[in-house]
Amino acid sequence: MRILFVCEGNINRSQMAAAYLKKIAPNVEVVSAGTVVPPERHGKRVEEISSKGDSAMREVGLSTAENVVQLVSEEMVNDADKVVLMGMLNSLPDYLKNSSKVETWNIPDPGTAEVTHAEARDAVIEQVTRLSKN
């Protein structure tokens, strides 16, 4: 089973979800990507761009610091068994928008200050736990 988590910048929600699912379901292959990843961020480690999400994950014994930021691709979507959008994302490519593999979770983006990084983490953990039981 391969799960692809997608958010916009690939520095908070999707990275949190991937880290947590890897911990609770090590037999599941997990990929994380973003729909809006500027070229200068692509391939960089999360800690180089945003440490707040990683700090929230460290509070629960995990880290996203070494994870690499990447732009979602059609190949990633095709290779996944399930694609989880972390919220209603503004700019979706057609191959993602039209995929029957997509499930959307309503997890607010801590980058917009709607919620704290810890609140987003807790929402992610709740949803990932539910997903792992299915």
Side-chain angles (χ1 to χ4, degrees):
M1 168 74 81
R2 180 179 226 183
I3 308 287
L4 170 61
F5 291 108
V6 179
C7 65
E8 289 181 322
N10 192 222
I11 58 174
N12 289 308
R13 297 169 294 170
S14 59
Q15 294 285 1
M16 291 173 175
Y20 190 68
L21 186 58
K22 285 177 187 177
K23 176 185 177 182
I24 65 171
N27 57 325
V28 175
E29 189 175 347
V30 183
V31 179
S32 172
T35 59
V36 185
V37 177
E40 65 274 9
R41 288 186 173 181
H42 186 77
K44 291 198 173 185
R45 292 187 329 251
V46 170
E47 71 180 350
E48 295 177 66
I49 300 166
S50 171
S51 61
K52 291 179 181 178
D54 182 61
S55 294
M57 291 305 285
R58 287 181 188 270
E59 292 173 5
V60 296
L62 296 170
S63 177
T64 60
E66 297 298 317
N67 295 3
V68 175
V69 175
Q70 54 187 348
L71 183 64
V72 70
S73 70
E74 188 169 6
E75 182 180 347
M76 287 177 187
V77 174
N78 291 339
D79 290 346
D81 296 302
K82 179 182 283 282
V83 178
V84 179
L85 302 180
M86 305 308 289
M88 297 306 291
L89 307 181
N90 292 323
S91 52
L92 292 178
D94 287 340
Y95 62 82
L96 190 54
K97 200 182 322 180
N98 299 327
S99 174
S100 61
K101 301 174 185 180
V102 172
E103 177 178 321
T104 302
W105 296 351
N106 186 20
I107 299 178
D109 186 354
T112 63
E114 292 178 33
V115 295
T116 67
H117 285 79
E119 289 168 332
R121 175 207 60 216
D122 293 346
V124 164
I125 287 173
E126 180 180 320
Q127 291 290 344
V128 171
T129 301
R130 182 191 56 76
L131 174 69
S132 73
K133 292 179 181 177
N134 291 335

